[in-house]
Amino acid sequence: MPKKYRIVALCMLLVVIGTVVAIKSIDNYENPSDIERSYQYTVVPSLSTDVPVTATTMNLIRPYKDSKVTIAIDYYEDEKNQEKSIIVTDNTYMQNVGVLYQADQKFDVYAILDGTVTEVGKNDLLGNYLKISHDNNIVSLYQILDKITVKKGDTIKQGTKIGESTKNNIKEGNLMLFELTINNKNVNPEKYYDKSIKEI
């Protein structure tokens, strides 16, 4: 075969191969199942909305949810609020370094933040108590408790029920004495509710 015809035949063969490849590609896109198969490994999963809140953005909650709970004895700030913040029992006067909460009926007591129970015990004056350590050197102490539902070493979530209020000689009604320390210093809990750990 002359060289001229061989070149023409080669060109025609290339055109035929190119046409076949093009038709094959078009067929692939016209077949939905093929398209689905070609993309099945590239689908990006949607972001979950159930991502847990990090400890640094968590806000302190009150240690109770009952709307009938009131303050029976305030946190001792200074002499100005001395009358409302002194605990009197057995002829002993103590400056209150927490807040004594009170209600006519028993109320549930809850953990104010995620944390670890570091102490559970009982003393003669304030009855059953428990202490929880939280991030950023925050410690919460719950006293005058009944039916404690956690034990030392437990890791608990914010809002976990940890006990119930109970009666005590300090005052009438159902009571729970709550103390909050930050960097080993007692603070007034009423000034920290709803604040994030980051703000403290």
Side-chain angles (χ1 to χ4, degrees):
M1 179 184 290
K3 187 176 180 182
K4 180 166 98 173
Y5 293 114
R6 274 187 280 170
I7 293 173
V8 171
L10 183 60
C11 288
M12 289 179 65
L13 180 62
L14 290 174
V15 169
V16 171
I17 291 172
T19 304
V20 170
V21 170
I23 292 171
K24 182 75 172 161
S25 297
I26 292 169
D27 284 345
N28 282 344
Y29 286 103
E30 288 177 353
N31 188 338
S33 64
D34 287 343
I35 293 172
E36 185 179 333
R37 278 198 301 272
S38 68
Y39 286 97
Q40 65 182 336
Y41 298 109
T42 59
V43 175
V44 178
S46 60
L47 294 176
S48 171
T49 57
D50 299 329
V51 177
V53 177
T54 60
T56 54
T57 59
M58 188 175 288
N59 290 1
L60 277 74
I61 63 170
R62 289 182 173 272
Y64 60 87
K65 297 178 183 177
D66 191 329
S67 59
K68 294 178 182 175
V69 173
T70 59
I71 295 175
I73 300 178
D74 244 330
Y75 176 86
Y76 182 87
E77 298 276 3
D78 50 39
E79 292 80 12
K80 292 177 183 177
N81 77 330
Q82 183 171 309
E83 280 184 36
K84 296 178 181 179
S85 60
I86 297 292
I87 294 176
V88 182
T89 179
D90 297 330
N91 296 318
T92 302
Y93 293 76
M94 300 182 302
Q95 295 174 348
N96 190 12
V97 293
V99 177
L100 183 68
Y101 294 104
Q102 182 267 336
D104 292 335
Q105 304 296 323
K106 273 195 172 197
F107 57 91
D108 294 335
V109 178
Y110 302 92
I112 62 162
L113 290 167
D114 293 355
T116 302
V117 179
T118 54
E119 202 173 325
V120 176
K122 183 175 184 176
N123 67 44
D124 294 335
L125 179 60
L126 300 172
N128 297 321
Y129 69 89
L130 70 90
K131 188 182 285 188
I132 302 174
S133 291
H134 312 281
D135 285 346
N136 288 24
N137 208 18
I138 298 170
V139 176
S140 55
L141 176 61
Y142 312 76
Q143 302 165 96
I144 314 178
L145 292 180
D146 188 26
K147 297 182 180 176
I148 292 176
T149 57
V150 294
K151 64 184 184 302
K152 184 177 178 179
D154 284 353
T155 300
I156 58 176
K157 293 289 185 185
Q158 180 185 61
T160 300
K161 180 181 173 181
I162 56 177
E164 296 177 1
S165 64
T166 191
K167 295 185 182 296
N168 187 280
N169 293 333
I170 292 175
K171 213 157 180 70
E172 290 185 3
N174 280 273
L175 308 172
M176 188 272 295
L177 178 60
F178 178 67
E179 294 180 26
L180 182 66
T181 63
I182 299 173
N183 295 322
N184 301 313
K185 181 182 177 183
N186 280 88
V187 296
N188 185 351
E190 289 289 323
K191 293 183 176 180
Y192 288 87
Y193 298 135
D194 299 323
K195 285 189 176 182
S196 73
I197 293 180
K198 209 170 183 179
E199 293 177 272
I200 295 172

